[in-house]
């Protein structure tokens, strides 16, 4: 129990710093793509920042694993975190660092009970849209047959792909770009399902509250009706056993 408490304290204390590092990672990832003419020192600083942020999330996983009393159970419950930590080590590509950081941010954000589902979905949509646009621009900008050359084209393509509209005016031509397209389409479908389920659950909960209120009102009316009937019965009994009037008393003599 003490170890679990220590793990919980660690997760609560590192949640905001890790989210801030994720924002820093987004900036470091976006700068070389949005400004391809940036100097070598800026590009190098951004790359170092990306690795530092990933290292912070990897360290967070190791510390949580160390503080966990049942470590094998922790690994089984957080297998996606482990994959995200090991993914950039298999092949150190920028795109893998993006994927792993997104996975780690998502897993840590789910631990925060104060983050509502709507906020999480909105953040996931914005994050996927931004990183999808930047990632596809980085792999398609210099492709010989590519037609995604600007950030505006990339954002438009990401939006139409996530919503599964797919107008076809912009499409990836490289293998990495098509892998990104598949990921965005699946993510868009999943997020749409989450939003639909959340709206349906809200309506169901609202209808259940209305039905519960109607049942309470019906029970109150039935109880009041029974009380009125009981009062009428008591009045009838009292009326039948009332004291005789004056005419009845004179007839007795």
């Amino acid at each position: 129990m003490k170890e679990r408490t220590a793990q919980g304290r660690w997760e609560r204390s590192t949640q905001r710093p890790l989210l801030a590092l994720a924002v820093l990672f987004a900036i470091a990832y976006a700068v070389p793509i949005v400004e391809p003419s940036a100097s070598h020192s800026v590009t190098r600083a951004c790359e170092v920042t990306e690795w530092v942020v990933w290292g912070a999330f990897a360290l967070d996983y190791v510390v949580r694993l160390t503080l966990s009393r049942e470590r094998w159970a922790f690994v089984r419950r957080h297998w996606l975190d482990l994959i995200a930590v090991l993914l950039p080590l298999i092949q150190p590509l920028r795109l893998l660092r993006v994927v792993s950081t997104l996975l780690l941010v998502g897993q840590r954000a789910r631990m925060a009970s104060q983050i509502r589902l709507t906020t999480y979905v909105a953040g996931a949509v914005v994050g996927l849209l931004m990183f999808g646009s930047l990632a596809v621009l980085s792999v398609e900008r210099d492709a010989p047959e590519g037609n995604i050359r600007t950030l505006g084209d990339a954002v438009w393509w990401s939006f139409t792909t996530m919503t599964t509209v797919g107008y076809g005016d912009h499409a990836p031509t490289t293998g990495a770009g098509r892998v990104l397209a598949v990921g965005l389409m699946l993510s868009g479908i999943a997020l749409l399902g989450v939003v639909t389920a959340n709206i349906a659950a809200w309506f169901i909960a609202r209808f259940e509250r209305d039905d519960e209120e109607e049942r309470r009102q019906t029970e109150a009316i039935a109880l009041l009706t029974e009380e009125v009937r009981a009062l009428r019965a008591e009045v009838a009994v009292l009326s039948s056993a009332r004291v005789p009037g004056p005419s009845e008393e004179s007839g007795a003599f």
Side-chain angles (χ1 to χ4, degrees):
M1 182 63 66
K2 182 177 180 181
E3 292 178 352
R4 291 181 180 178
T5 303
Q7 180 184 348
R9 288 198 303 268
W10 170 264
E11 292 172 353
R12 287 191 299 270
S13 62
T14 57
Q15 175 190 330
R16 292 183 179 179
L18 288 177
L19 292 179
L21 286 176
V23 174
L24 183 61
F25 175 89
I27 297 173
Y29 179 75
V31 167
I33 298 175
V34 177
E35 293 292 338
S37 59
S39 63
H40 177 73
S41 59
V42 173
T43 304
R44 182 62 179 172
C46 292
E47 184 178 359
V48 171
T49 301
E50 292 175 16
W51 278 110
V52 168
V53 172
W54 170 83
F57 278 97
L59 178 63
D60 171 70
Y61 178 85
V62 173
V63 172
R64 287 189 291 137
L65 176 63
T66 304
L67 295 177
S68 178
R69 185 172 63 180
E70 301 176 355
R71 296 181 180 178
W72 283 113
F74 179 87
V75 172
R76 289 194 299 269
R77 289 195 304 268
H78 301 86
W79 60 271
L80 192 59
D81 297 45
L82 180 60
I83 293 176
V85 168
L86 298 178
L87 192 61
L89 297 179
I90 299 174
Q91 188 176 0
L93 297 176
R94 285 189 83 207
L95 186 57
L96 293 182
R97 291 201 299 273
V98 173
V99 174
S100 64
T101 304
L102 283 175
L103 290 174
L104 290 170
V105 170
Q107 292 298 312
R108 290 293 274 114
R110 287 195 186 100
M111 296 177 185
S113 59
Q114 67 270 22
I115 297 180
R116 298 181 182 275
L117 179 61
T118 304
T119 304
Y120 179 78
V121 171
V125 169
V126 173
L128 286 172
L129 183 64
M130 180 183 66
F131 281 105
S133 303
L134 294 172
V136 77
L137 181 61
S138 66
V139 299
E140 292 290 329
R141 173 185 282 160
D142 299 326
E145 299 179 357
N147 57 6
I148 303 176
R149 303 293 185 184
T150 65
L151 183 60
D153 294 340
V155 172
W156 172 250
W157 172 83
S158 296
F159 190 81
T160 56
T161 302
M162 284 187 63
T163 56
T164 66
V165 175
Y167 288 111
D169 51 349
H170 295 288
T173 58
T174 63
R178 289 170 179 171
V179 170
L180 283 170
V182 172
L184 280 178
M185 284 185 284
L186 294 178
S187 301
I189 294 172
L191 289 174
L192 181 61
V194 171
V195 172
T196 303
N198 192 28
I199 295 175
W202 183 83
F203 276 109
I204 292 174
R206 181 64 181 269
F207 291 150
E208 287 180 350
R209 288 196 300 268
D210 293 341
D211 292 341
E212 182 66 24
E213 182 65 23
E214 185 177 354
R215 283 195 297 268
R216 285 197 297 266
Q217 292 177 357
T218 302
E219 292 175 357
I221 292 173
L223 181 61
L224 182 60
T225 302
E226 291 296 328
E227 291 179 354
V228 170
R229 289 176 180 173
L231 289 174
R232 286 181 177 177
E234 292 180 3
V235 170
V237 172
L238 293 175
S239 298
S240 62
R242 73 180 188 279
V243 179
S247 59
E248 295 176 347
E249 292 179 355
S250 60
F253 291 105

